[in-house]
Amino acid sequence: MKIAAPVIYGSLTDIFNLSIASNVFPSDWKVAKISPDFKSGNKSEANNYRPISVLPKIARVLERPVFEQLYSYFGENKFLYAHQSGFRALHSTVTALLKMTNEWCCNIDKGMASGVLFLDLKKAFGTVNHEILLKNLRWYGVETPAVYWFRSYLANRKQVCYVNGVMSAADFVTRGVPQGSILGPLLFLIYVNDIPKSLNYGVARLFADDTNLTFSGCILP
């Protein structure tokens, strides 16, 4: 694609602009090839494999400008939860750990006890409900035409499994955000962004789907 860019960039620009104007994501760019990557344990157990998703390169090129605009919009308006450290610029596991340990140490200095609950959502990217995600986008002020584009982006996705040189038949994906995509991580952050709002007490800190809830209080004599 890089070699051919001087020749194809004009046509691609027209396709990208038409996609945005018509609120339709090309269906041929919504097919993922899944390759199982063995982690550990019994090789006959499907849960011991990590699915590696490969999407069409051209789809990722279209996703990039959409991602940059959406991420900029959420950043400028400070919509993303302040204690979310996953998939964000200038944030990492290190910053998440520093913030958590600093809070716990401050509580100790004040003579307080901290109780921490750690939560991990299994197969997080695959659990996203599309209607809830689209509703969240509307709630944060994303305009209706853009929401329609995201609906088209998420809907009618397919995946095929590639094992030992053999390709399976395509099957529809009814929920989740595309793994291996540019937009997927940001859409997931938007999906879980209101988790802290459900808390009456405590502080939630997140790194993508990894969440810990800290509850602190004075130690009784």
Side-chain angles (χ1 to χ4, degrees):
M1 285 182 61
K2 289 182 179 179
I3 295 174
V7 177
I8 65 176
Y9 81 91
S11 298
L12 290 181
T13 301
D14 291 340
I15 294 172
F16 294 169
N17 287 336
L18 183 60
S19 171
I20 300 298
S22 62
N23 306 315
V24 175
F25 191 86
S27 57
D28 287 346
W29 297 353
K30 296 193 285 187
V31 181
K33 185 173 76 171
I34 308 295
S35 299
D37 180 40
F38 179 66
K39 295 185 291 186
S40 61
N42 188 344
K43 289 190 174 182
S44 63
E45 293 289 336
N47 287 333
N48 292 333
Y49 290 82
R50 179 185 295 106
I52 305 299
S53 175
V54 179
L55 295 168
K57 296 289 185 183
I58 195 66
R60 293 167 57 88
V61 178
L62 171 55
E63 288 183 52
R64 174 59 64 181
V66 178
F67 167 85
E68 290 176 353
Q69 290 191 39
L70 186 63
Y71 187 80
S72 176
Y73 171 72
F74 271 77
E76 290 173 359
N77 291 281
K78 296 181 170 57
F79 286 151
L80 289 178
Y81 181 53
H83 298 315
Q84 170 64 266
S85 296
F87 309 123
R88 298 179 65 187
L90 305 178
H91 292 72
S92 67
T93 52
V94 174
T95 56
L97 288 170
L98 287 174
K99 291 177 180 178
M100 288 185 290
T101 53
N102 180 67
E103 179 185 357
W104 300 336
C105 289
C106 288
N107 289 340
I108 293 173
D109 291 341
K110 296 175 183 177
M112 303 171 69
S114 295
V116 186
L117 178 64
F118 292 88
L119 307 173
D120 184 22
L121 188 61
K122 188 176 181 180
K123 303 186 185 304
F125 273 35
T127 63
V128 174
N129 181 293
H130 294 167
E131 291 305 317
I132 294 176
L133 172 57
L134 294 171
K135 190 178 297 183
N136 283 1
L137 288 171
R138 292 191 188 95
W139 193 88
Y140 285 111
V142 176
E143 295 183 355
T144 299
V147 174
Y148 286 156
W149 186 90
F150 282 108
R151 180 183 293 278
S152 175
Y153 172 80
L154 295 167
N156 298 318
R157 283 191 167 269
K158 297 179 181 179
Q159 63 183 25
V160 296
C161 191
Y162 183 77
V163 180
N164 297 328
V166 179
M167 192 86 74
S168 73
D171 197 7
F172 282 100
V173 180
T174 58
R175 62 179 56 236
V177 292
Q179 295 192 30
S181 64
I182 301 294
L183 279 168
L186 176 57
L187 293 177
F188 181 80
L189 294 189
I190 296 171
Y191 182 69
V192 300
N193 199 50
D194 54 359
I195 286 179
K197 297 176 183 177
S198 64
L199 299 176
N200 292 325
Y201 305 98
V203 177
R205 297 189 184 278
L206 297 85
F207 187 89
D209 63 305
D210 293 317
T211 305
N212 70 77
L213 310 177
T214 298
F215 304 89
S216 58
C218 295
I219 301 176
L220 294 176

